[in-house]
Amino acid sequence: DAGITQSPRHKVTETGTPVTLRCHQTENHRYMYWYRQDPGHGLRLIHYSYGVKDTDKGEVSDGYSVSRSKTEDFLLTLESATSSQTSVYFCAISGGRGYQGYTFGSGTRLTVV
Amino acid sequence: RKEVEQDPGPFNVPEGATVAFNCTYSNSASQSFFWYRQDCRKEPKLLMSVYSSGNEDGRFTAQLNRASQYISLLIRDSKLSDSATYLCVVNDGTGGGADGLTFGKGTHLIIQP
């Protein structure tokens, strides 16, 4: 399997607190993505990165920021967590944007109380 | 807005039967197509790519109809372990923009003993 890990696997946090999720890859892939998955909505893109320090917004980026200071790490920050951000967050990597499919991490289950 | 539509199911199928499901996509410029499998509370995993000529991988056959913009997945001799959600995935075909891949919401398959 591709080397992609997400941390933490589970997190419970309080409304209004900042939260950072980490995605780490050992495949040296250029593209990295953050998705959230909710019942009835499927996978929705939050942000993506096409290189170190190169990021762009996805479909549901409000309330989220990202950073990529190294090829291997892509961080997702919830600036001030809200209950609507309770979700499962998946990171994905790809060597070629959209043409090779993505490999997903195991996900982070986030609960905002 | 690019759309990928799937019947959410569930499809309840007896073990050993053949099951097929389709998805339709709206973006005629799409060039790459995939089926992903997602088990409950797990990450999506690439099942197979879909090629214009159709392709087979063991008990699984994928077909692409560009004219009608739909993709199909056929599972023969279904096993209990085939129970999962199957995601239809299509690339945006532009090489740019906010998203390389568009995910359907998935079809839930339950194989019954």
Side-chain angles (χ1 to χ4, degrees), chain A residues 1 10 33 35 37 40-43 45 48 56-59 90 97-107 109, chain B residues 1 31-32 34 36 38 41-46 49 87 91-101 103-105:
Chain A
D1 284 349
H10 302 272
Y33 306 83
Y35 284 87
Q37 188 173 38
H41 289 281
L43 285 159
L45 182 69
Y48 75 106
D56 206 347
K57 295 179 180 179
E59 177 188 359
F90 287 106
R97 211 181 77 81
Y99 296 97
Q100 301 175 8
Y102 297 168
T103 300
F104 285 85
S106 300
R109 193 167 296 272
Chain B
R1 172 166 166 69
Q31 300 169 17
S32 299
F34 310 92
Y36 275 71
Q38 186 172 23
R41 302 176 75 85
K42 298 285 189 180
E43 74 272 24
K45 292 186 177 179
L46 180 64
S49 301
L87 307 177
N91 90 320
D92 65 16
T94 64
D99 193 0
L101 295 181
F103 289 80
K105 295 179 182 178

Side-chain angles (χ1 to χ4, degrees), chain A residues 21-79:
Chain A
L21 309 182
R22 181 180 184 237
C23 179
H24 179 77
Q25 60 141 334
T26 58
E27 301 298 312
N28 200 35
H29 280 338
R30 178 181 178 187
Y31 298 97
M32 299 185 75
Y33 306 83
W34 277 108
Y35 284 87
R36 60 178 289 174
Q37 188 173 38
D38 305 287
H41 289 281
L43 285 159
R44 292 184 290 176
L45 182 69
I46 304 170
H47 281 277
Y48 75 106
S49 171
Y50 48 96
V52 174
K53 298 191 189 312
D54 292 324
T55 66
D56 206 347
K57 295 179 180 179
E59 177 188 359
V60 290
S61 59
D62 287 349
Y64 302 94
S65 62
V66 290
S67 66
R68 191 165 178 202
S69 58
K70 300 185 288 185
T71 298
E72 56 266 37
D73 289 326
F74 192 32
L75 304 180
L76 175 71
T77 298
L78 288 65
E79 294 142 9

